[in-house]
Amino acid sequence: MRKHLITLLTLLFFASHLHAAETKPVNRIILTSFYPMYITTLNVAQNVSGITVVNMTKPQSGCLHDYQLTPTDMKTLSTAWVMVINGGGMESFMSKAMSSRPNLTIINASKDLQFIMGEGNTGENPHIFVSIAGAIAQTKNIASALSRLDPVNATRYAANCDIYVLKLKTLQQKMHEALAPLSNRSIITFHEAFPYFAQEFNLTVAAVIEREPGSEPSARDLAQTIRIIRASKIKALFAEPQYSLKAAQTIAQETGATIWTLDPAVSGPNSPNAYLQIMESNLVVLRKALL
């Protein structure tokens, strides 16, 4: 009897452990193309069992215009369950790499969204995430796609989406109210990252100095910008923390304009609230610069 009892207990022990192994959620990696997609997806997939969000490119890389994939990136790509991209040409560097994962499911955060065309027939401007309205739409797209792909966790994705969208809408309203009274609404930026942001908050981008970030503007471009500033009496230049201040400093010396920092949220801390915090800081800067 005692022998049978020991045998029964042994079987129950192994059965319980086998059941636990069978029901343990499989870890699935959601890979994101760059920082803004990482922060948004981090919010949508927060606390979803068995899901890990991993960003492929380094946050300090900023926008991906000239990004080159590394062997580490390729190794990370091989682990992905799905991949979230911004779309609009932002991830053009991925085209060759995807031949190694032709069946990988891609979630386009900008699906069905309206793009602004870049200056000089440069194609679609992909910086839709810089506007809060764009961030809200992308959040909803990501949540909807993940819910279809992972119906077991659909309720969690939807709830997380609602929480984050509410935070974004609250900040959006705050920024509209704070920026509405400004009489000075013209800005000069050093990268074509802000057309969506300007459109949303009724600002005018009078000039863009470096259309390709990291490429020094020509003497002709600098001279033209200086003429615009002098003619319009614009007093604020908005540089970005990810790029050199050299051109901005040259223009400021010639015009007396003040250099401010406006962040397109392409790098920052790995915190779910990072985008919100960056936009809050942008609001403070704009209020000071444009008063």
Side-chain angles (χ1 to χ4, degrees), residues 179-192:
L179 296 175
L182 298 179
S183 56
N184 181 11
R185 312 197 73 82
S186 293
I187 63 175
I188 289 181
T189 66
F190 285 78
H191 178 198
E192 273 194 314

Side-chain angles (χ1 to χ4, degrees), residues 12 56 138 282:
L12 288 173
M56 186 172 69
Q138 289 187 325
N282 284 340

